[in-house]
Amino acid sequence: MSSFQPLPASEEAPATHVRTRTPAVFRAAAAAWPAVKEWSLPYLASLDPGLPVPLVEGNREAERTRFTTSTLGSYVSRLTREAPADDVPAYLKEFDLLKNFPQLRADLRSRELFPPRTIRSSATWIGPSGARTGLHCDLLDNLAVQIMGTKRFYLAHPGTVKRAGMESRKYDAWARLSLISAEELAAGQEPGDLFVVDLAPGDVLYVPAYWWHEVVNLTPGVLLSGFFGPRTRVLSRWAWVQAREGLHRAGLLGRDDCTCHASRALDLKSG
């Protein structure tokens, strides 16, 4: 993906980039967090080994939505073992780690990063090497903190997917999806519009709302995302999302083509 330019590290505060709506990586900004220094996969597995967890199989943003289930202990323990070459990665996405284990909040220093007077919501991505989240853009700003392992982000300016005529109609409550991958998008873009950055433990990445990004695990890893924004913006987005969710639950929007339910066509085939 030679069209992707390295995203340079920033020495400024995250709030500066939030004001200018520009993505930025802050190297080692969370390196002193107890979560980064002390958490491990065995530790997370031990928190509640029997807790049922839903796993996403493959790249649901670009492919059919498929789920499987496991337990937290069994799944996280598997991440330390090498998977077969033809194995379809199973990904624990959007896991509310802090709701399940509120004691872990003491290991974070989120106030050091987020602008004041913002509403925040966190989610955790835990997965193996090769796990991927397809090209999409979120409706809220995101400060992503790499806790364990390494992860690669491909980023593209807002509007690039729409100009290519490749926005997907697949339903996702808090994101818009692309019909093509970052690599396919790059084939028709000018240099300078696309960026790539690898995150190591302790690195923090700011992804503004509506910036397109595709994410791939280079190693087994854990990433904590903090979606945020000013109160009025978050509440207006939330109201809009809830209205669409009502239509979706009624079968009037994104029926049989969404990221939250297994693809019906796949279920019928397998059943």
Side-chain angles (χ1 to χ4, degrees):
M1 296 192 186
S2 58
S3 296
F4 286 83
Q5 305 299 311
L7 185 68
S10 175
E11 300 297 330
E12 299 177 300
T16 301
H17 292 271
V18 172
R19 287 193 295 269
T20 59
R21 319 295 304 153
T22 54
V25 60
F26 309 94
R27 296 296 183 193
W33 289 17
V36 175
K37 296 171 67 176
E38 300 170 9
W39 289 7
S40 67
L41 291 175
Y43 170 65
L44 294 182
S46 72
L47 292 171
D48 187 352
L51 178 69
V53 291
L55 306 174
V56 177
E57 290 188 330
N59 180 357
R60 71 175 175 185
E61 287 74 23
E63 303 166 357
R64 288 174 169 172
T65 302
R66 296 174 292 173
F67 296 102
T68 187
T69 58
S70 185
T71 62
L72 182 64
S74 175
Y75 174 68
V76 176
S77 296
R78 276 166 34 201
L79 300 182
T80 61
R81 301 192 294 267
E82 187 172 351
D86 59 349
D87 189 51
V88 176
Y91 208 170
L92 181 52
K93 289 188 174 186
E94 298 157 342
F95 179 55
D96 200 335
L97 183 71
L98 302 182
K99 180 179 179 181
N100 283 278
F101 309 107
Q103 69 273 22
L104 297 181
R105 295 181 185 275
D107 296 335
L108 309 176
R109 303 288 185 268
S110 299
R111 289 185 180 180
E112 299 172 357
L113 297 176
F114 288 92
R117 298 180 297 279
T118 56
I119 296 179
R120 303 190 294 268
S121 176
S122 68
T124 307
W125 276 250
I126 304 174
S129 176
R132 183 179 296 267
T133 298
L135 190 62
H136 69 286
C137 66
D138 298 308
L139 305 185
L140 293 176
D141 288 2
N142 180 16
L143 275 173
V145 182
Q146 191 70 20
I147 304 294
M148 278 181 258
T150 56
K151 188 181 291 283
R152 178 168 294 167
F153 277 74
Y154 298 99
L155 300 114
H157 277 272
T160 52
V161 173
K162 185 174 183 179
R163 287 195 297 271
M166 288 297 169
E167 281 196 0
S168 174
R169 298 183 65 181
K170 187 171 186 175
Y171 174 82
D172 185 283
W174 284 97
R176 293 176 180 170
L177 311 179
S178 169
L179 291 170
I180 57 176
S181 67
E183 182 177 11
E184 292 169 323
L185 178 67
Q189 299 297 320
E190 294 294 328
D193 287 340
L194 309 169
F195 302 92
V196 62
V197 60
D198 291 352
L199 300 186
D203 290 342
V204 178
L205 177 66
Y206 169 56
V207 183
Y210 298 104
W211 270 77
W212 292 90
H213 51 288
E214 184 170 331
V215 192
V216 59
N217 280 5
L218 303 180
T219 70
V222 177
L223 178 130
L224 179 69
S225 281
F227 296 98
F228 71 99
R231 183 179 183 85
T232 53
R233 183 186 304 164
V234 172
L235 292 179
S236 66
R237 292 281 191 278
W238 180 86
W240 182 74
V241 166
Q242 290 306 303
R244 294 178 77 241
E245 273 287 283
L247 295 174
H248 179 61
R249 287 192 295 268
L252 301 175
L253 179 65
R255 185 176 182 179
D256 301 330
D257 191 21
C258 65
T259 58
C260 46
H261 299 90
S263 297
R264 190 177 177 190
L266 186 64
D267 292 342
L268 294 174
K269 181 179 179 181
S270 62

